[in-house]
Amino acid sequence: MDEREQERPRVVLGVSGGIAAYKACELLRRLTESGHDVRVVPTASALHFVGEATWSALSGNPATTEVWESVHEVPHVRIGQAADLVVVAPATADLLAKAAHGLADDLLTNTLLTARCPVVFAPAMHTEMWENPATQENVATLRRRGALVIDPAVGRLTGVDTGKGRFPDPAAIFEFCRRVLARGPRAAEQDLAGRHVVVSAGGTREPLDPVRYLGNRSSGKQGYALAGTAAARGARVTLVAGNTELPDPAGVDVIHIGTARQLHEAVLKAAADADAVVMAAAVADFRPAVYTTGKIKKVDGQDPEPVTLVRNPDILAEISAERARPGQLVVGFAAETDDVLANGRAKLARKGCDLLVVNEVGETKAFGSDGNEAVILAADGTETPVPYGPKEALADTVWDLVAPRLAETRP
Ligand code: CTP
C-alpha cells in the first residue's frame, strides 16, 4: 500500500437485505470517486438484491459476508478496527435489531461491534416496520449509544404504497457521511445528541399577483449547512426552508414555505419543543399590502399603480422575547453593507437573541457563494471572528458556541 492509499479515509459500507441495496451502489460510487477507500460488507440477504461482483467491482475491494473467509486476516475484527466511518445503508429492521442487541452472526454485525469510529445507519423499510415500537426502541438504543441514525424519508416505497421508510437520496446520505468524516476525531462527540434544533433558511417570496413576487438573493446555502452539520452532530433537525434550489439534506425534517408569514407560523410551531432556533432565513421585512388575484396589466398611457408595502412580523425578535421553553437558545443573522460591527451590536440588542452572526454582504459577498466570513456576537459580550471559509465551517462554529451554552440545560 503506498502512502496515498493510507491517507484515504477508510469507509465500511454495510449493506443489509432490502430493495434499497441497489441505491447503495450510487452511494458507493460517490464515496470511491471522492477518494475514500471503501470496503463493502453485505449481509447474505443483501446479495439477493445486488451480487457480490457488483460490490467488489465498484469498490475495488473484496466484498465478503461471512467471518469464515480469509480467516487468517481476522476480518471480523480488523475491518471494524481500521475504519474511519461505518455506514450501513440500507439498514433493515432486522439489522437494526441485531445491532441494538449486540448480536454478531456475520461479518457486518461483527464489524459493528469492533468499530470505534462513528457509525451511521440509513434505515429503509415499510412504514409499519419503521413505526413498530420494537424498531423505534432499537433506534433509540443505538442513538443513545452514539450511533447516528438517519430518519428515513417519506415517499414511494417498494410497491404502490407511500409513507415514511423510504431510503433517502444516496447523494444526501453521501453528504451526511462527508460531514461526519470532516469532523475527524470530534465526530464521536455528538454534542447535539438528544437536542431538537430548528433552522430557517433561504429567502421568502411575497406575492404581488399570481405571477410576480418580491424576493431576495438568499441561496439558502448557509442555513442548509447549519441543518446538515447539526444532524451530523446528532441533533434532531427541523429545517424551515424558503425559496432555494438545494436538495433536502438526509435525516432532516424539511418544511418548505413561501412567504414570511408562512415562515413565521412554521418556525413558531417547530420552536415549541426546540432547544435552539437559528434564524438564517432572509425574511422579507415587507409584503405588498394587497395581493391582486388576477395578473396586474399595464394600461397604455397610464402610470403603474404604486405598490404599498406593510410590515411582516419580526420572527427573530418575537421568539427571542417569548422563549417557548426555558433555556432555549436563539441565534440570528445580520446581513449588513455598512458599519458592519456597530450595526451588528445594535441589532443583537434590538432583537434580544443570544448570538448574532454578522456578515458583510454586497454584490459579490455572501449571497450564493460557498464561502462566508463573519463575526459572531454573543449577548454575554464575547465576539468570535470566523475567517473566510466554507459555509459549513461557519455553521460548525455556530454549533460550537451553541452546544456548551445548551449543556447547562439537560437534553
Ligand atoms: N428576521 C426575522 N424576521 C424578519 C426579518 C428578519 O426573523 N421579518 C431575522 C433574520 O432571519 C435574521 C435577522 O432577523 O436572523 C436579521 O435580519 P436583517 O434583515 O439583517 O435585519 P432586520 O431586522 O431586517 O434589520 P434591517 O433590515 O433594518 O437591517
Side-chain angles (χ1 to χ4, degrees):
M1 201 187 284
D2 70 19
E3 246 173 61
R4 258 178 319 151
E5 283 275 290
Q6 282 176 352
E7 278 167 22
R8 289 164 64 200
R10 273 179 287 221
V11 176
V12 172
L13 172 58
V15 185
S16 55
I19 184 69
Y22 82 92
K23 295 186 185 168
C25 298
E26 191 194 328
L27 175 60
L28 171 56
R29 260 239 114 91
R30 284 178 185 266
L31 287 165
T32 53
E33 281 174 8
S34 54
H36 301 87
D37 178 15
V38 189
R39 174 89 192 229
V40 183
V41 183
T43 63
S45 329
L47 296 183
H48 287 293
F49 296 99
V50 179
E52 184 274 331
T54 304
W55 301 121
S56 44
L58 285 179
S59 67
N61 281 316
T64 43
T65 59
E66 298 303 328
V67 293
W68 309 115
E69 293 159 61
S70 310
V71 176
H72 62 287
E73 289 172 3
V74 203
H76 74 289
V77 178
R78 290 276 156 76
I79 295 173
Q81 279 177 339
D84 296 304
L85 176 79
V86 176
V87 50
V88 185
T92 58
D94 179 67
L95 189 281
L96 293 171
K98 283 183 174 150
H101 290 87
L103 300 184
D105 60 356
D106 64 3
L107 189 54
L108 178 54
T109 43
N110 273 274
T111 299
L112 287 169
L113 283 186
T114 53
R116 291 288 171 272
C117 59
V119 178
V120 174
F121 292 91
M125 62 198 72
H126 267 78
T127 312
E128 292 82 350
M129 296 175 95
W130 172 251
E131 287 177 350
N132 190 292
T135 306
Q136 286 302 307
E137 277 174 33
N138 290 331
V139 168
T141 301
L142 291 167
R143 282 185 172 144
R144 204 175 52 248
R145 291 189 195 137
L148 289 155
V149 184
I150 301 175
D151 262 22
V154 176
R156 178 91 187 258
L157 302 170
T158 319
V160 287
D161 38 358
T162 302
K164 187 159 183 169
R166 188 177 157 85
F167 190 65
D169 183 1
I173 300 176
F174 167 71
E175 279 300 311
F176 189 98
C177 293
R178 195 184 55 71
R179 287 198 173 105
V180 174
L181 274 167
R183 281 184 58 71
R186 296 187 63 197
E189 280 174 32
Q190 283 168 45
D191 48 5
L192 295 176
R195 301 293 187 178
H196 177 210
V197 304
V198 177
V199 177
S200 71
T204 59
R205 285 179 169 179
E206 308 299 319
L208 264 168
D209 70 14
V211 292
R212 302 183 182 92
Y213 57 81
L214 295 181
N216 60 62
R217 294 173 52 207
S218 169
S219 66
K221 285 181 184 170
Q222 187 60 65
Y224 273 58
L226 279 154
T229 47
R233 293 167 80 138
R236 175 163 78 83
V237 185
T238 306
L239 173 61
V240 184
N243 172 58
T244 157
E245 288 172 3
L246 301 170
D248 290 355
V252 168
D253 188 12
V254 189
I255 300 163
H256 293 278
I257 56 87
T259 65
R261 284 189 294 179
Q262 289 166 351
L263 183 75
H264 179 234
E265 195 188 326
V267 167
L268 253 58
K269 193 166 168 221
D273 71 342
D275 296 288
V277 184
V278 182
M279 285 295 301
V283 190
D285 286 320
F286 312 102
R287 66 177 183 277
V290 179
Y291 172 74
T292 311
T293 49
K295 187 182 169 197
I296 302 167
K297 306 288 270 182
K298 59 182 174 306
V299 181
D300 285 343
Q302 267 186 28
D303 285 339
E305 288 292 320
V307 176
T308 308
L309 300 175
V310 292
R311 286 287 294 265
N312 272 327
D314 188 328
I315 307 163
L316 179 61
E318 188 177 325
I319 54 175
S320 298
E322 294 161 36
R323 311 280 168 135
R325 56 191 284 190
Q328 184 178 70
L329 218 98
V330 181
V331 184
F333 271 69
E336 302 292 344
T337 50
D338 311 286
D339 287 336
V340 177
L341 273 185
N343 278 332
R345 282 196 199 95
K347 197 170 280 183
L348 176 69
R350 201 166 64 238
K351 300 265 188 178
C353 51
D354 302 287
L355 296 169
L356 189 75
V357 185
V358 186
N359 49 37
E360 196 176 339
V361 292
E363 284 295 318
T364 54
K365 285 188 182 141
F367 285 121
S369 72
D370 291 321
N372 213 346
E373 176 184 355
V375 178
I376 306 175
L377 306 176
D380 59 21
T382 55
E383 287 184 11
T384 311
V386 188
Y388 187 83
K391 287 185 172 172
E392 282 186 9
L394 174 56
D396 263 322
T397 311
V398 170
W399 297 124
D400 286 347
L401 293 170
V402 167
R405 287 170 164 82
L406 285 181
E408 289 157 24
T409 58
R410 288 205 48 73

